[in-house]
Amino acid sequence: MVYYGFATGFGLSSKTKPGILLENEKYKIQFKGVMCDETKNIVSHGFEYCYDWKEVMELVLAATEKAGNDNIADIEEAIEDAMRTWMTTFQGWGLLSSILPAGAHRHVVLSLAYASFNWNLETGGDYSEEKVFDAVKLVYDNIEGKQLKSLLPKFGVWFEEIVDGGEREERKKKFTVFFNAKWLLEVKFIVEKKRVNRNLLELAAEAAVRAIERDDEIENLDIPPALFGVVRDKFRDTEWVRNYWRLKAEIEDDEDESSVQELTGKLVWPVNVGEVDGSECDSVGKMSDDPNDELKVNEKAAAVVDEVSDGCDDIVEDVPDVTKHEAEGMFSVWLFLCLALLLGVLLTDL
């Protein structure tokens, strides 16, 4: 990592350009990029290519080990705690000072400059920026309301499923570190949980937990007590993958429901405008609750069918030269017209 004064982590060229990957025994983390105010700009480019995100990535991997249970909420909490402490250290000061408004930490910057210029080799030993920073931090941390932790901006971390992914993404999740300070800064990563099976016991446990839906079911398994630990580990590993497919299933169900609602909306009967007591009234394809109205509609429909049927018979009788096949074809045409006419009458009366 290259340091320029107290701008720790910054350099003309960073070693952690987008695409860089780090890993531990159970997880991988890949740096994907930075968004500034929800877009790509010169600020996001600077944080992508001039800042070294390796220490942040190492913090995330260490938090997975500290949580120790593969639970996303616990990992997020461990990361936030580690970030909160790290940003007030010499290694994290470069990032913290770069995202704060200038006025928020001006007193600290001036104190660092003063302490650097007046460094006493006899009392402080050989000069280094880290020694100067630690000395200034010690002073401010003992002044009520001036502690460096009071400079921390609003920030948060969270995991998200890759909803547009496939089977290859079932073990991967998006991970974001968000800062709300001088800019809205989003640092994007991909975290992947490895599938780790080091022996036959872990392979057997992985197969066994596929039939387990809840953690409390593990207690009912007829296995030696020494095996419960590995079974729980494999169940949590399975849940990491299941959460991915559960969300995809929920999204597909929502899309199907939206499609049905859209189709239902297109099938709504037309609006009829009529006169009720001298005023206009809109009705949207609703049948009346009055049984007398329904009886009137049925009677009128029956009358229309009889009238049209008689008309069809008269027409067929008036054309004696048509063949039986032609008559059947003509009758089909008239039947279609009858149905269309009947539908028109029903819509008019509703």
Side-chain angles (χ1 to χ4, degrees):
M1 185 177 291
V2 180
Y3 303 124
Y4 287 88
F6 297 97
T8 50
F10 283 95
L12 295 178
S13 179
S14 170
K15 295 180 181 179
T16 55
K17 295 179 176 65
I20 191 70
L21 186 144
L22 297 179
E23 59 185 298
N24 61 9
E25 184 180 1
K26 296 176 67 176
Y27 288 89
K28 297 178 182 179
I29 181 169
Q30 184 180 34
F31 175 51
K32 298 299 291 183
V34 179
M35 298 286 287
C36 177
D37 294 333
E38 301 183 343
T39 188
K40 291 285 188 179
N41 52 36
I42 190 171
V43 175
S44 65
H45 184 83
F47 278 104
E48 284 182 348
Y49 292 94
C50 298
Y51 187 76
D52 192 340
W53 293 99
K54 181 179 178 181
E55 290 204 19
V56 174
M57 296 167 73
E58 289 175 343
L59 284 178
V60 174
L61 292 175
T64 64
E65 296 173 355
K66 181 179 180 180
N69 57 6
D70 300 326
N71 181 279
I72 289 177
D74 291 343
I75 295 174
E76 289 174 345
E77 183 178 355
I79 294 171
E80 286 191 2
D81 290 342
M83 287 285 295
R84 196 172 286 110
T85 300
W86 174 78
M87 282 195 292
T88 60
T89 66
F90 177 66
Q91 288 73 23
W93 175 252
L95 177 60
L96 176 59
S97 60
S98 67
I99 62 178
L100 290 174
H105 62 302
R106 186 186 303 276
H107 59 291
V108 179
V109 173
L110 293 175
S111 297
L112 291 172
Y114 179 83
S116 295
F117 186 76
N118 296 282
W119 185 257
N120 191 320
L121 294 176
E122 294 182 359
T123 59
D126 292 339
Y127 171 86
S128 72
E129 284 88 357
E130 185 168 5
K131 285 184 178 180
V132 173
F133 179 86
D134 288 342
V136 171
K137 181 177 186 296
L138 180 63
V139 172
Y140 279 108
D141 282 351
N142 285 279
I143 301 175
E144 186 67 28
K146 293 293 184 180
Q147 298 92 334
L148 290 194
K149 65 181 181 181
S150 66
L151 296 175
L152 291 174
K154 294 180 180 179
F155 80 97
V157 303
W158 60 81
F159 286 93
E160 297 175 279
E161 302 292 350
I162 306 175
V163 295
D164 56 347
E167 188 172 349
R168 294 179 60 182
E169 285 72 35
E170 66 179 8
R171 287 188 164 271
K172 299 178 181 179
K173 300 186 191 300
K174 296 178 183 178
F175 176 70
T176 301
V177 181
F178 175 78
F179 299 100
N180 184 358
K182 188 188 302 184
W183 311 282
L184 299 179
L185 208 65
E186 298 173 76
V187 190
K188 304 287 189 178
F189 303 90
I190 294 292
V191 174
E192 177 181 357
K193 191 175 189 305
K194 299 179 183 179
R195 183 185 177 210
V196 181
N197 289 309
R198 294 161 292 193
N199 48 52
L200 291 176
L201 174 61
E202 291 182 349
L203 279 170
E206 182 183 65
V209 298
R210 291 173 183 167
I212 299 176
E213 295 296 329
R214 301 188 313 275
D215 184 78
D216 55 11
E217 295 179 27
I218 297 176
E219 301 295 335
N220 300 325
L221 294 178
D222 187 16
I223 58 176
L227 300 183
F228 280 107
V230 66
V231 172
R232 287 194 182 91
D233 287 344
K234 288 302 177 182
F235 176 75
R236 289 191 289 261
D237 180 77
T238 301
E239 283 295 288
W240 177 280
V241 176
R242 284 175 178 170
N243 288 337
Y244 171 79
W245 292 110
R246 285 182 187 126
L247 181 61
K248 287 185 72 70
E250 290 176 6
I251 292 174
E252 290 175 0
D253 290 343
D254 290 342
E255 290 176 350
D256 291 342
E257 184 177 349
S258 298
S259 299
V260 170
Q261 291 176 350
E262 182 180 355
L263 179 60
T264 304
K266 292 180 179 179
L267 295 177
V268 172
W269 286 33
V271 175
N272 296 326
V273 180
E275 295 264 342
V276 178
D277 296 331
S279 61
E280 289 190 347
C281 174
D282 293 347
S283 61
V284 186
K286 290 186 177 180
M287 296 296 289
S288 172
D289 294 331
D290 189 346
N292 293 326
D293 291 344
E294 184 176 355
L295 180 60
K296 292 177 183 178
V297 171
N298 292 337
E299 290 176 350
K300 185 158 187 178
V304 171
V305 171
D306 292 340
E307 181 180 347
V308 175
S309 299
D310 293 341
C312 291
D313 294 340
D314 294 340
I315 292 172
V316 173
E317 290 176 359
D318 291 342
V319 188
D321 295 334
V322 297
T323 64
K324 179 179 179 182
H325 183 73
E326 291 171 334
E328 290 175 352
M330 185 178 297
F331 182 77
S332 298
V333 173
W334 280 105
L335 180 59
F336 175 80
L337 294 175
C338 292
L339 293 174
L341 179 60
L342 175 60
L343 181 59
V345 173
L346 290 175
L347 291 178
T348 302
D349 289 344
L350 291 177

